[in-house]
Amino acid sequence: MEVSSVPTEDELFSAVDALLEEVAQDDLPTPEERKRLREAAGLSQEQIAKALKSRRETIGNWESGVTEPRPPKRAAYARLLEGLAARFPAPTADAPAVPAPAVPEAFTGPAPEPVPAPAPATVPPSRPKAAASSTSRPAASSRRPGAKKAAAKTTTVAAADPRFENGPLAVIDCEDGQVSAYCVGGLVLDVPAKSIPALVDWTLAEARLGQARLHRNGRDADPILVLTASALERFGLPVALSPEEQRAGRLAAGHKVVKQITKAGLQLTQRGFGPWARVYRDPEGSRRRCVQLCILPWNALDAREWDKKDDPQLPTMHPADLARYLGLYAARVTTPRGSTATTGLELMTALRPPTRAEKDPDTGEFKRAFNDDAITAKYDVVPCEVPDEHPILKDAGFARHHIRTPAEMLMEEAYDWCRPLTDEECANPYLVAVDINMSYAAAANGLTVGLNGPTHLTGNPPFDPALPGSWLVDLSHVDLSRVQVNGRTVDGDRLPSPFTPTGERPTGPAWYATPTVQYAVELGFDVAPIEAYVRTQTGRYLDPWYKRLRDAYVETMADMGVTTDLSGQEFLEAMARRKQVDPTMALLETAIKATAKGAIGKLRQRSRGQVPYYEPYPALDRWTWRPDIRAAVLANQRTGLHRKLMKTAAAADLYPVAIGTDAIVYPSPGPSPLDVLPHAPEGKSVPGTFRLGVSPGMVKHQGTQTVLWAEQQFEERGGVFNVANLIKTDQSAREGE
């Protein structure tokens, strides 16, 4: 006979609270009305937060609709609003609204206010009662009310999928012996686990963490647990790896936690238990059972990508703020999978899955089929496209220290070019540097790339711009010294060559990606390829990847007050103060830019010294190791930049003195980009030239220096340097670019 257990008082109260939450979803005024009532009473968010024992950011989220209050604060907040509504009723159509007192306000929501806000407070959010139901049924007892409604907001990261209603990730922290999981939206779950295996099983069974697939043929993202230093101590892990473990990138196989994982029937990937550890059980049917651990003290979130490298914020960031930061990244980009470069590459695959399920018309069973718009296999590579340490070069007979020439190696890289100033240019007092937003991502937009393996063309094949690949062609005859652009003559000698990263004119045959050769044709010159390696299956593989990153970047900048509708001066002012508006969003900006740049570089990842020279290294096993696609993006970035240089010179007789990747330096009569960039009489940018703005491909102000400073630098350094890399008013101006 089965005996039912007698519920405790806490369990009964928790059940009643859950019912009250279900029937009280809409008993509060709208977010707009909440803000109106507070302002009508002359109260600040800080005052309300203090009264409710909460945080200012939490009150701001309630007023913007990002999150909803939950018991017991929900009832207290409702009582406050009810009292304010009685004293300050909503204005009717015939009665003017009550003017709000001038109360200094901090930035709290998606629409930034003009007054810069201080850094978010580090007071931890209130934790729900540690009732039995809060651990056995986290989704029912701890979930914030209104999360589905908030999911429609642009700044929320709440998961619409009920399987992942607590968000994509959680930050695990331990305080006073209690382990807590800080989720997105201010949600905090009590964690009953006392070991890493128990933590993994709790995540898989109860935490309801994860992220739905980005493409219908893709797969859901595994839940991420970010472990803080206190959590490591609680679960028996070292706060710092030993020197031997740091070199190996993982814990020793004999560590007690690794043994616990094995004993519990869990498995680790080949990378072992390192800063980004994957712990999993065998799948149940089609359901993956994998949890990824991001170990913060082991430098899982590299400060050069995820943080401020000169003043790291993550080690001291409160777990709730860290969950907000990473949760926003997951919502706007994707769930972190490692470095920003790794995550950016995974994003490509998530948006263009290689396979899909296809029903066999004969048997009625589903089988795996390949998608035409994706990379579906690891293809052969060709010698001219690979880096120096690739094994194929050993078979080609290249000596160990042989320096390959442009006729032997595809050298599609970004610009690194600088020239002396002319006497006329020295008459200007300033050098102004502008920087292209998300230049690599912008270059990927609309770019046709190869999706299959190479086809070798010999015997002087005709150039076909529709075929992506590498072409051996002599462009030394292309003379841009006096070229016509829009009916005006441009002094090409004061511009870099579009065909080499150094800006020097080619001297003979060299390998070029399709966009470079196509640009030579666009300029009106004949090309005669000698041979080529092309891809016949083509597509705009990177388009959804670009759009995802573009939207993430623009949305994040808008949260800091930098929107697409600002005029030139308004844009410059908003960019100058953006990091004070919301420091967390400033970190997110850096991470998004690093994701775009790192993913393109990852397409031709080089050996990290794991194996001897000319031996296969792990990156070569990836389907997405595609140096030809990286070369196409960089060629498109460089030629697109040169195209704007030509049109700017034609429009305003304006020539750069230095270019570093995507930073362009111009001599200027004033310290602002508005003093130098050409504008039409009505104030708009001249079509085809550099335009100030926040969207990818547009430019921002990187910095200003005097011409005298530049001359001193040339004298001290002997001219062997690039001033574009030194002119940075904001030292983080090009982080992640």
Side-chain angles (χ1 to χ4, degrees), residues 385-402:
E385 295 175 346
V386 301
D388 290 334
E389 67 273 17
H390 196 281
I392 196 175
L393 297 182
K394 182 179 181 181
D395 298 333
F398 285 99
R400 168 67 175 80
H401 297 289
H402 175 72

Side-chain angles (χ1 to χ4, degrees), residues 175-200:
E175 184 178 355
D176 298 329
Q178 172 62 50
V179 181
S180 302
Y182 290 82
C183 307
V184 298
L187 175 68
V188 185
L189 302 176
D190 291 332
V191 180
K194 297 182 179 179
S195 66
I196 290 295
L199 177 65
V200 171

Side-chain angles (χ1 to χ4, degrees), residues 26 191 207 237 296 324 371 378 493 515 564 654 682 692 715:
D26 300 315
V191 180
L237 290 164
L296 192 61
R324 174 189 177 234
N371 290 317
K378 185 176 71 171
D493 290 337
T564 57
L654 186 64
E682 60 273 18
L692 287 172
E715 291 179 5

